[in-house]
Amino acid sequence: MSGVSSAAYFARRAAQKERVRILYRRTLKDTLNWAVHRHIFYRDASDLREKFNANQDVEDVDRIDKLIAHGESEYDKWRHPDPYIVPWAPGGSKFCRNPTPPAGVIFLLNTYHVLKFLSSCVADADRDCVQLRSRRQPLILTFHIFPYPSIKLKHPGVAYVSEDLLKTFKVDQL
Amino acid sequence: MALRTAVLRHLRVPVTGSNQSQIGFLGPIRAFSSHDDHLSKQEVVDRVLDVVKCFPKVDPAKVTPDVHFQKDLGLDSLDTVEIVMAIEEEFKLEIPDKEADKIDSCPLAIEYVFNHPMSS
């Protein structure tokens, strides 16, 4: 009977301690958000720590719960409207920008690169054919990559070609 | 239609595999990308230990890579919270609250920072 209740007591105390730690972490971050300059932040952080330390010896579980609830309401009241979030984290300025490019894809950024790439892939006999066409008129290239459907270029000269599809690579000219 | 396919078949050319390296793509390494720089383990260890040593309530002589904040360094749970926040600032990380609560010692902190993909 007492074993069960003491286990429950310790479980409750452990949960309270975790709540206190998380509350302290959040209020400390908020203090940094409000007090941007370090010397102000250090002063406010010390004050915050004093407030937490003042209640550290309380033993009554219900009183501890009330103090934690009071602290959380104070935190909610003083939350910063525009907290600093690390850029890559959700809410930060760089979140979802510039995702990692897919592996194995070559980006050929202008017509010169496309032609150089193609001429490195075509046999010598037809190399002139590719180059001549480009000098005379804009070239729209269709890559027929079997068994995938043909990938038309959206803008002349920009091609997305997968490295391991190069082996089955064929060139058509419209 | 048949004429077109006949003409296109004439224009189609085979791929010569040996010429593929001329374009100079670098495989997994991409120039000007910020996605493939990762800290080395030794650098992580050094920086974490520096952060811990600079904490005012800590004796720098006692700090080793396998020290526990509360047991070995005699710190409070709130001090642990402060140290974890300092590590977050040092490596520009955003650690979720539940994860940060579990970081209790130097080896845990080093392992977390080293395994985090965005630590810098």
Side-chain angles (χ1 to χ4, degrees), chain A residues 88-165:
Chain A
W88 53 263
S93 59
K94 207 172 126 188
F95 183 56
C96 286
R97 267 199 210 172
N98 292 337
T100 323
V105 175
I106 315 169
F107 290 80
L108 305 166
L109 289 174
N110 54 42
T111 320
Y112 170 72
H113 284 148
V114 173
L115 292 173
K116 197 165 146 209
F117 176 70
L118 289 179
S119 65
S120 71
C121 293
V122 304
D124 280 33
D126 294 287
R127 195 187 297 258
D128 301 325
C129 172
V130 174
Q131 288 172 350
L132 275 172
R133 283 293 294 268
S134 73
R135 265 184 241 135
R136 261 191 268 142
Q137 62 200 335
L139 188 62
I140 300 177
L141 299 172
T142 310
F143 294 91
H144 287 276
I145 303 173
F146 298 97
Y148 299 90
S150 68
I151 301 169
K152 274 213 178 82
L153 301 182
K154 282 185 199 169
H155 311 282
V158 178
Y160 299 80
V161 179
S162 171
E163 249 175 71
D164 51 14
L165 297 179

Side-chain angles (χ1 to χ4, degrees), chain A residues 18 20-22 24-26 28-29 32 38 41 49 52-53 56 85-86 88-89 94 98-102 105-108 113 117 120-123 126 129 144 146 163 166 169-174, chain B residues 4 8-16 18-20 22-23 25 27-28 30 33-35 55 57 70 76-79 81-82 84-85 88-89 91-98 100-101 116 118-119:
Chain A
E18 188 181 337
V20 167
R21 285 196 296 265
I22 291 183
Y24 181 63
R25 186 180 147 81
R26 288 187 183 163
L28 202 57
K29 284 193 169 179
L32 184 56
R38 290 314 275 212
F41 165 63
R49 187 65 195 268
F52 271 78
N53 280 345
Q56 71 179 357
I85 302 176
V86 178
W88 53 263
K94 207 172 126 188
N98 292 337
T100 323
V105 175
I106 315 169
F107 290 80
L108 305 166
H113 284 148
F117 176 70
S120 71
C121 293
V122 304
D126 294 287
C129 172
H144 287 276
F146 298 97
E163 249 175 71
L166 288 178
F169 175 82
K170 292 173 196 260
V171 177
D172 272 332
Q173 291 178 0
L174 296 179
Chain B
R4 180 174 178 269
L8 290 179
R9 204 177 303 123
H10 170 72
L11 287 176
R12 268 186 196 148
V13 289
V15 176
T16 53
S18 59
N19 288 338
Q20 282 171 14
Q22 286 176 9
I23 196 70
F25 55 83
R30 182 177 291 273
S33 164
S34 62
H35 287 278
F55 197 66
K57 295 180 192 172
Q70 295 190 15
D76 205 1
S77 57
L78 298 186
D79 295 324
V81 168
E82 289 179 13
V84 168
M85 203 169 130
E88 268 191 337
E89 287 190 323
F91 291 98
K92 296 182 205 158
L93 293 179
E94 185 84 17
I95 307 181
D97 288 337
K98 296 280 180 183
D101 207 34
H116 202 285
M118 300 299 305
S119 52

Side-chain angles (χ1 to χ4, degrees), chain A residues 33-52:
Chain A
N33 282 330
W34 281 114
V36 176
H37 304 284
R38 290 314 275 212
H39 61 281
I40 307 177
F41 165 63
Y42 286 141
R43 199 178 341 134
D44 290 346
S46 316
D47 292 341
L48 177 71
R49 187 65 195 268
E50 293 303 314
K51 281 189 211 164
F52 271 78

Side-chain angles (χ1 to χ4, degrees), chain B residues 41 44-46 48-49 64-66 87 103 105-116:
Chain B
K41 185 86 180 220
V44 170
V45 168
D46 288 337
V48 168
L49 290 188
T64 65
D66 51 1
I87 291 177
I103 295 180
S105 58
C106 264
L108 271 180
I110 293 170
E111 185 195 324
Y112 187 90
V113 171
F114 182 65
N115 291 337
H116 202 285

